[in-house]
Every structure is written in structure tokens, then in C-alpha cells.
Amino acid sequence: KHGGERGVPFRLQVETWTSEDIRLHAGACILQVFKLKGADRKHKQDREKVSKRPDSEKDKFSPQYECTMLTDLSVDSIYIPASRGVSPVQSDSESIAPSRAASNVIVPPPAKSTSVTPISSRDVSPLKVTISQSGAGSGTISTPTIIAPHYQPPGDSKTWKIVLPHSASAETAAGWLAYNRYGQHVKTFTDFDARDLLRLSKDDIIQMIGLVDGVRLYNDLHMKPVAPRLTVYLAQKGESLFHPVLLQDVTVSELVRNIAEILEVPVGLFHKVVVAGPNKISIKLTDEYLRYQNFDSAFHYLLIHEEGEACTIHLEPVTNS
């Protein structure tokens, strides 16, 4: 409509993680995508507009850089896609590692660019970052002026994201809220530590953040378990100690994963699952047949080695005798 000079804005978010699933840093900027030769025309028009302005106003425009400048993001400003799940929460610790002290620091405005080279100062982390499109030469993340300390989780980075420790500080509680997709309510619970959150009743939370998120937050805080769709009990043939297996998806692959965890062996070791049927016939276990099993069924399992390293899991129903 306008020759492609307007462009389509996209938000680029770059995250740095450790091998232990701890997020070290997150930064973002806005990229504009143009039609063919639209970017050249856009740059030309912007240069002409700036050149016609008096020198006193030229300083208001962001300078151009040879690389993409990323603005640091705090925990509550990080976009977490729904596909990440648990996560996920975040993936998968969602903490940001502590950095050198920074308070009341003004972050220089990032410049527009179509490059994606992640360059950013990790000495500061703005409390909130908003995306704006204003003025010639814009298309960047607006300049934040408030700096907040990073949220620091407790020692075990793989458990705090799921279970909020009762002794967690207000900063850790804020990180837990952001990880579990309550980022929009972090400000509501400012200065609430874990004890404060756990003392809240369901009605209190619903009044503070609404019905839908209130019920979900209450369940997450008190770790209300999700009821399994099928529960079976497994024991190796010849043993009397059974292992409970709680199936959520009720698939053969989920059952095999649980058996592999019980035996502490790789999942790829198992080739198929066979169930002893009527008149001692062997039945290949499928998802549909598994869902047909009675709740609280018990089985003895036997591993039958085949050619190579593959194994077949043979299940025998336990009958009352």
C-alpha cells in the first residue's frame, strides 16, 4: 500500500542458557521486515527527514549501529511461549543469574537494525520493557529507566521452579510466579515471600487476581496433583514389591518410559510390549488396549531378550488366588 516502506515489526528475543538449564541472560529488540527494496527507501526517507531537522532536535533520534543492540529483560518481561510448558516454568530454570550491582541506571536506547547479532550489556536488567513504534528511525524497544535486581532462585535450580520452598524470599517468589506464567501478577504480589503466598486462601487469591488465574495459582502453590487417567502396578516376576505407575497420556510409550525409569535403563532398549491374554495367548499391547485395562490393574513383567540388544516386555496380569 505504501511501497513497502512501513515494514512489519517483529520482536527478537535472545536467551543464553547454561548446560544445567539455568537462564543467564535475556535481551530483546525490534526488527522490521520490508518488501523488496523497501528498507533502502525507508532508510533514505529517514535520513532526509533527520537532515532537515535543526541540530538541537537531531539528538532525539537514535544513532545507527553496525550491529543489533539488545535491551536486557527482567524475569517478568521475558516472553515464554506456551509450547515450552514445563516449561516452564519454565524450561528449565527461568532465573536470571545475578550480575554486578546496578540501580537507577539509564540504559542507552538501542538502534534499529535488521542484523541479529546479539550484543548487550549484562550489567543491568530493566524492570519492564515496552515495545514502541514512534518517530523516524524508531522500530526499537523503548528506553527503560528503572532497574530492578535479578531474581535469584535457591540452590537447587531444578526444584524451585516446580515447588516453591516455604522459606523462599520475595525475589525467589517473584521468579517462581513469572516461571509459572503468572508474570502479569508479579506486581500484585510485590514483597510477598513464600510464607505470605502460602497463607493466602483460595478466596483471597481469587479476589486479588481473578477467578481463572486465582484457582490455578492456588493449585500450583499447594501442589494439587493431577489425577492420573490410569494407574497400574508393576513388579518383576518373582518379586512381591510393586511399583505404582501413574499414566497421564495412557500410551504404550509412556508405560515403557516408566518401566525404563524403574529399571534405570535406556528407553531404546525395549522393542515392544506383550500382554498375556486368555488361554495364555500373547497380545501385542497397543494404546487402545492399554486404555481398556481396569484402573489399579497389577502386572508382573518379564524381559525377554531378542536378537541384538532389543528386549520385549512381557506383562502377566496378577489374579486373585
Side-chain angles (χ1 to χ4, degrees), residues 226-231 246-250 254 291 293 295:
V226 178
R229 293 186 173 122
L230 178 65
T231 300
L246 310 180
L247 301 177
Q248 299 291 349
D249 299 328
V250 195
E254 184 184 15
R291 292 165 186 151
Q293 302 303 310
F295 204 84

Side-chain angles (χ1 to χ4, degrees), residues 18 23 31 52 57 65 67 232 271:
T18 67
R23 179 189 280 122
L31 301 180
K52 294 178 181 179
E57 296 185 7
Y65 297 92
C67 56
V232 296
H271 175 60

Side-chain angles (χ1 to χ4, degrees), residues 1 22 24 73 102 196-197 249 272 293 317:
K1 183 177 180 181
I22 300 176
L24 297 177
L73 300 178
D196 296 328
L197 290 173
D249 299 328
K272 61 183 176 180
Q293 302 303 310

Side-chain angles (χ1 to χ4, degrees), residues 6-171:
R6 177 166 296 182
V8 179
F10 290 90
R11 187 187 191 212
L12 171 68
Q13 180 172 299
V14 178
E15 303 175 20
T16 304
W17 294 71
T18 67
S19 56
E20 288 79 21
D21 293 335
I22 300 176
R23 179 189 280 122
L24 297 177
H25 178 259
C29 71
I30 293 297
L31 301 180
Q32 282 186 287
V33 179
F34 299 84
K35 294 182 180 179
L36 183 63
K37 298 183 180 181
D40 294 335
R41 291 193 293 269
K42 174 66 174 175
H43 286 308
K44 182 179 178 180
Q45 290 177 1
D46 290 345
R47 286 194 295 268
E48 291 175 352
K49 291 179 181 180
V50 173
S51 63
K52 294 178 181 179
R53 298 294 183 97
D55 294 338
S56 59
E57 296 185 7
K58 290 182 180 180
D59 295 336
K60 298 180 181 180
F61 296 93
S62 301
Q64 290 186 339
Y65 297 92
E66 295 181 355
C67 56
T68 300
M69 302 299 292
L70 303 180
T71 299
D72 295 346
L73 300 178
S74 63
V75 172
D76 58 334
S77 301
I78 296 174
Y79 170 72
I80 302 176
S83 59
R84 183 174 295 181
V86 292
S87 30
V89 28
Q90 58 198 258
S91 349
D92 305 356
S93 172
E94 291 293 319
S95 65
I96 293 184
S99 62
R100 293 185 289 275
S103 69
N104 300 329
V105 178
I106 304 299
V107 181
K112 66 175 183 177
S113 173
T114 55
S115 172
V116 294
T117 304
I119 295 180
S120 172
S121 169
R122 289 167 57 175
D123 294 339
V124 293
S125 178
L127 180 64
K128 186 176 182 181
V129 177
T130 56
I131 300 174
S132 65
Q133 292 272 353
S134 61
S138 65
T140 64
I141 296 178
S142 61
T143 305
T145 58
I146 301 176
I147 304 301
H150 297 298
Y151 298 129
Q152 174 66 13
D156 188 351
S157 62
K158 293 190 177 182
T159 58
W160 79 277
K161 64 182 182 179
I162 300 174
V163 182
L164 179 64
H166 71 280
S167 59
S169 64
E171 290 77 13

Side-chain angles (χ1 to χ4, degrees), residues 173-190:
W176 181 88
L177 288 169
Y179 178 86
N180 287 277
R181 296 175 289 127
Y182 300 105
Q184 69 272 28
H185 303 303
V186 169
K187 291 184 179 180
T188 303
F189 297 104
T190 301

Side-chain angles (χ1 to χ4, degrees), residues 205-223:
I205 299 176
I206 290 174
Q207 290 179 7
M208 296 176 72
I209 64 174
L211 178 61
V212 177
D213 282 348
V215 172
R216 191 167 64 88
L217 176 56
Y218 181 84
N219 291 338
D220 285 344
L221 282 172
H222 297 277
M223 291 193 63

